[in-house]
Amino acid sequence: MKTIFASLFLSVFMIYCNNTKSQTQIESSFIFGQNQAKSKDYLNFDICPSYQFDKWNFGIGTELALIKPDNSIINASKIDVEREIAIKNHNIKIYGGFYHKPFSKYMRELDFVIKLSTETGHFKGTIGNNSRIWRLSNEAMSQWALADSSNVKSKKEWRNLIYNFAFYLKDLDNKWNIGVGITNYDSFFFNHETEPMLFSNYENKLSEILSLHVGLWFQQAGFANLQAQYYGFYIKGGLICKIGK
Amino acid sequence: MQNRKIIFFLLPLFLTSCFYDLDEVGAFHSKYNANERFEMSEKWNSTHPFQVIISSDTSYSVLFCSDTHIGTYKEFGIVLSAAKNKKAAALVVAGDISRGHVESYDTLESLMSRVDSVNWFFTPGNHDLYFGGWDEYYKRFGASSYYFIVSTPNGNDLFIILDSGSGTLGSLQLNWLSDVLESFSASIRHITIATHLNFFKNGFSLTNGLPMEEISFILDLCVKYKIDYIIGGHDHRRNESVIGNTNFIILDQCHDNEKNSSYLEVKYESESCSHVYHSIPE
């Protein structure tokens, strides 16, 4: 609940302290899907307010599990920062984020993400690294002291390539656009590099402050070196609200 | 220009056809998905009850190996001899036992029919499913998802074999796994799970593990039911991790054409388990 209140508070605060050099953005999405680990339909809601000041962007966010939560209603939460830099008239965004996922009563997943993004013409591309830590929850350690007799409370995967490449039908600054792409991550989860997802997106700038986005993601269980099969899908749709200049 | 385009598209097809063990179609599509194979396994299990192996001693060993890729079986033959000589309670082969071709299965079936004093247990890997291999596997060896028990004077140990050959355990198998653990947890001494795909990766990798959500699901079960071992293969390179009570082990391959082969011996005792690798040849 603290994360939800913090998100709401920051959203209001950002609107309040808005000035001519800054912009507040609130991105919200519903995610509806099905996969092998969640055979019954699931429905999540993401809300991610962010505050842009000059070349910097500071954000937080949370994902709520409205139907079929893994552990609690809060699936995941994040805090992130992004900086835009120009290299020879070409803009690149450098992103750093920290994600916390209490997916089980006994286990937590922590993700540290660094990525570089760029876009040009009809193309958007992102590449980066996700460092993942699984660790026992405090409850697991207090409940079963013996379970941690080996004194190993966590497992770390430092190197995991993340990528997102999308091609759009229209120029990226067009009022509406349709895109297709391949990625191994989305808002609050990061697959291994060998678990790509295919997606298609529709985006529409409804007004100066409001944009609509709808997308379909297709998930395959592994790739190439496996007798790989269908794993799942999800549909994601929502609004992005930008206030300020 | 048109000819160049045709050559460009046909060349990869020609090159991949040179690799006898590469199933190009299988990389994108499987004839049976994980849920279908699980349903067939359940049908098999309904007429073949789970096996109970009696150990007269409170401590005993189980051997594990993976990725034998038969064809040839010089190294796998060494593991079979070791299982016999060490009087191991069981031998578990964690997938990629064959190459999926009918003749690979013929060789494997013929070999195993001559092994009489070893309790062996198989589960398929991706290679076993290539070239429509599941039909051959099921016909000859039956279920790919099942469990067996080793019963000792001071408690029973549970061994669960899971099928991850097509990149996912599937929703039915995950639910079954939860139910099996729940029903046995109160009465069981040690729990071991063996499957082909592994959980954790060590650096950038081109070989798949299980999907992230399935890893999360099983990590939860590991802590909840104090699972002792999760053993997989697929990477052909040994790796070990520990979280809490659970040892996550990726086995070396046991394949004639590769170096650094080994098998794993896990010793189960009253209060604890321990393991040791044996290089091939020792």
Side-chain angles (χ1 to χ4, degrees):
Chain A
M1 290 303 280
K2 281 179 187 171
T3 318
I4 299 170
F5 283 126
S7 300
L8 290 172
F9 174 76
L10 198 65
S11 307
V12 174
F13 177 73
M14 285 168 174
I15 294 166
Y16 175 75
C17 67
N18 206 13
N19 65 36
T20 52
K21 280 187 175 179
S22 67
Q23 187 176 63
T24 301
Q25 174 177 302
I26 300 173
E27 184 174 347
S28 59
S29 313
F30 282 96
I31 299 121
F32 169 82
Q34 195 180 78
N35 62 42
Q36 297 293 341
K38 294 174 183 173
S39 53
K40 292 174 186 167
D41 304 335
Y42 66 88
L43 179 66
N44 297 340
F45 176 67
D46 292 357
I47 182 157
C48 305
S50 61
Y51 179 69
Q52 188 184 345
F53 184 81
D54 201 10
K55 302 280 186 190
W56 290 90
N57 195 64
F58 304 94
I60 58 170
T62 189
E63 181 171 82
L64 308 177
L66 304 180
I67 298 177
K68 206 169 169 26
D70 287 330
N71 175 35
S72 69
I73 189 170
I74 298 174
N75 248 3
S77 37
K78 69 167 182 176
I79 182 164
D80 54 25
V81 60
E82 193 172 57
R83 172 79 162 96
E84 192 172 326
I85 58 168
I87 299 174
K88 291 184 180 175
N89 298 327
H90 190 77
N91 286 340
I92 291 177
K93 288 176 179 171
I94 304 171
Y95 173 97
F98 169 69
Y99 294 71
H100 178 256
K101 298 166 76 174
F103 67 85
S104 145
K105 190 176 170 186
Y106 311 112
M107 295 289 294
R108 300 285 182 265
E109 181 185 330
L110 311 175
D111 292 279
F112 300 89
V113 178
I114 296 170
K115 59 187 185 189
L116 300 173
S117 312
T118 189
E119 51 188 61
T120 175
H122 297 250
F123 174 79
K124 284 184 187 176
T126 301
I127 197 159
N129 184 71
N130 166 43
S131 297
R132 190 190 329 263
I133 298 174
W134 280 285
R135 70 165 178 82
L136 294 174
S137 69
N138 291 334
E139 180 161 350
M141 287 191 281
S142 64
Q143 202 167 333
W144 296 300
L146 282 176
D148 193 35
S149 57
S150 55
N151 200 28
V152 181
K153 297 170 186 165
S154 64
K155 163 67 185 169
K156 302 170 185 75
E157 282 183 352
W158 291 121
R159 296 188 301 280
N160 183 47
L161 179 72
I162 55 173
Y163 50 85
N164 185 327
F165 302 107
F167 181 80
Y168 285 81
L169 184 66
K170 300 276 185 182
D171 269 340
L172 292 176
D173 53 4
N174 198 57
K175 186 175 178 296
W176 65 272
N177 222 332
I178 293 171
V180 291
I182 186 167
T183 183
N184 69 336
Y185 72 92
D186 197 16
S187 314
F188 286 90
F189 72 92
F190 304 90
N191 287 345
H192 288 149
E193 56 260 16
T194 46
E195 292 158 30
M197 302 179 291
L198 299 174
F199 66 89
S200 61
N201 248 347
Y202 170 74
E203 297 169 3
N204 195 333
K205 288 168 190 153
L206 301 173
S207 69
E208 279 294 306
I209 62 167
L210 210 58
S211 302
L212 170 79
H213 64 98
V214 183
L216 172 67
W217 269 253
F218 172 78
Q219 298 169 293
Q220 182 86 346
F223 181 67
N225 65 318
L226 285 177
Q227 180 93 358
Q229 68 160 79
Y230 164 76
Y231 176 70
F233 79 95
Y234 63 90
I235 298 164
K236 182 176 174 181
L239 294 169
I240 299 171
C241 179
K242 288 180 180 176
I243 305 161
K245 290 186 179 180
Chain B
M1 191 62 189
Q2 196 63 27
N3 286 344
R4 279 187 189 175
K5 280 183 184 172
I6 292 168
I7 290 168
F8 179 77
F9 284 108
L10 289 181
L11 191 63
L13 281 177
F14 171 75
L15 289 173
T16 53
S17 67
C18 297
F19 296 100
Y20 179 60
D21 289 333
L22 184 64
D23 181 8
E24 300 88 348
V25 178
F28 300 96
H29 174 72
S30 53
K31 187 177 170 189
Y32 298 93
N33 66 37
N35 284 342
E36 287 166 339
R37 293 198 307 280
F38 177 76
E39 282 172 341
M40 291 169 77
S41 292
E42 279 294 84
K43 196 175 167 188
W44 174 277
N45 292 336
S46 67
T47 54
H48 298 76
F50 67 89
Q51 200 170 329
V52 179
I53 298 164
I54 309 290
S55 168
S56 55
D57 199 346
T58 54
S59 62
Y60 64 92
S61 292
V62 172
L63 305 191
F64 295 85
C65 71
S66 179
D67 298 274
T68 53
H69 295 271
I70 291 167
T72 58
Y73 50 85
K74 191 179 157 195
E75 296 196 342
F76 185 49
I78 293 171
V79 181
L80 287 173
S81 300
K84 207 170 173 179
N85 297 337
K86 289 172 189 284
K87 294 183 180 166
L91 166 67
V92 177
V93 188
D96 280 3
I97 309 161
S98 72
R99 297 176 181 181
H101 300 291
V102 175
E103 54 269 32
S104 296
Y105 275 110
D106 286 342
T107 308
L108 179 61
E109 190 179 22
S110 159
L111 175 66
M112 299 318 289
S113 68
R114 300 198 297 269
V115 178
D116 50 4
S117 60
V118 178
N119 297 303
W120 49 267
F121 299 91
F122 287 171
T123 188
N126 48 306
H127 279 269
D128 300 305
L129 303 180
Y130 286 162
F131 310 106
W134 170 248
D135 286 325
E136 296 299 324
Y137 180 99
Y138 188 70
K139 191 168 66 185
R140 297 161 198 252
F141 307 119
S144 58
S145 312
Y146 54 95
Y147 56 87
F148 65 92
I149 283 173
V150 178
S151 180
T152 78
N154 75 345
N156 298 332
D157 298 337
L158 175 65
F159 295 80
I160 302 174
I161 311 295
L162 300 177
D163 176 351
S164 56
S166 53
T168 169
L169 293 168
S171 55
L172 296 179
Q173 193 172 206
L174 286 171
N175 292 338
W176 172 83
L177 174 64
S178 291
D179 292 344
V180 170
L181 288 168
E182 183 61 34
S183 62
F184 278 101
S185 62
S187 59
I188 281 294
R189 200 175 66 159
H190 299 299
I191 302 173
T192 299
I193 294 177
T195 190
H196 182 59
L197 290 192
N198 44 67
F199 280 58
F200 301 124
K201 60 200 278 292
N202 185 20
F204 295 121
S205 172
L206 289 175
T207 56
N208 273 93
L210 285 165
M212 296 309 306
E213 283 158 314
E214 294 189 0
I215 292 174
S216 299
F217 184 91
I218 291 179
L219 283 174
D220 178 51
L221 297 178
C222 285
V223 185
K224 191 174 176 184
Y225 296 108
K226 298 178 190 171
I227 292 169
D228 295 274
Y229 280 95
I230 301 263
I231 298 173
H234 190 55
D235 271 6
H236 291 217
R237 193 175 54 174
R238 185 189 308 177
N239 191 258
E240 284 188 40
S241 308
V242 184
I243 300 183
N245 196 55
T246 310
N247 289 277
F248 295 85
I249 290 182
I250 301 173
L251 298 166
D252 285 322
Q253 83 292 338
C254 191
H255 182 202
D256 290 357
N257 298 342
E258 293 179 59
K259 289 179 180 173
N260 303 320
S261 295
S262 74
Y263 66 90
L264 180 77
E265 180 178 8
V266 180
K267 292 177 182 173
Y268 296 87
E269 294 174 80
S270 296
E271 300 297 325
S272 63
C273 313
S274 60
H275 61 270
V276 60
Y277 293 94
H278 298 276
S279 298
I280 304 172
E282 287 185 271

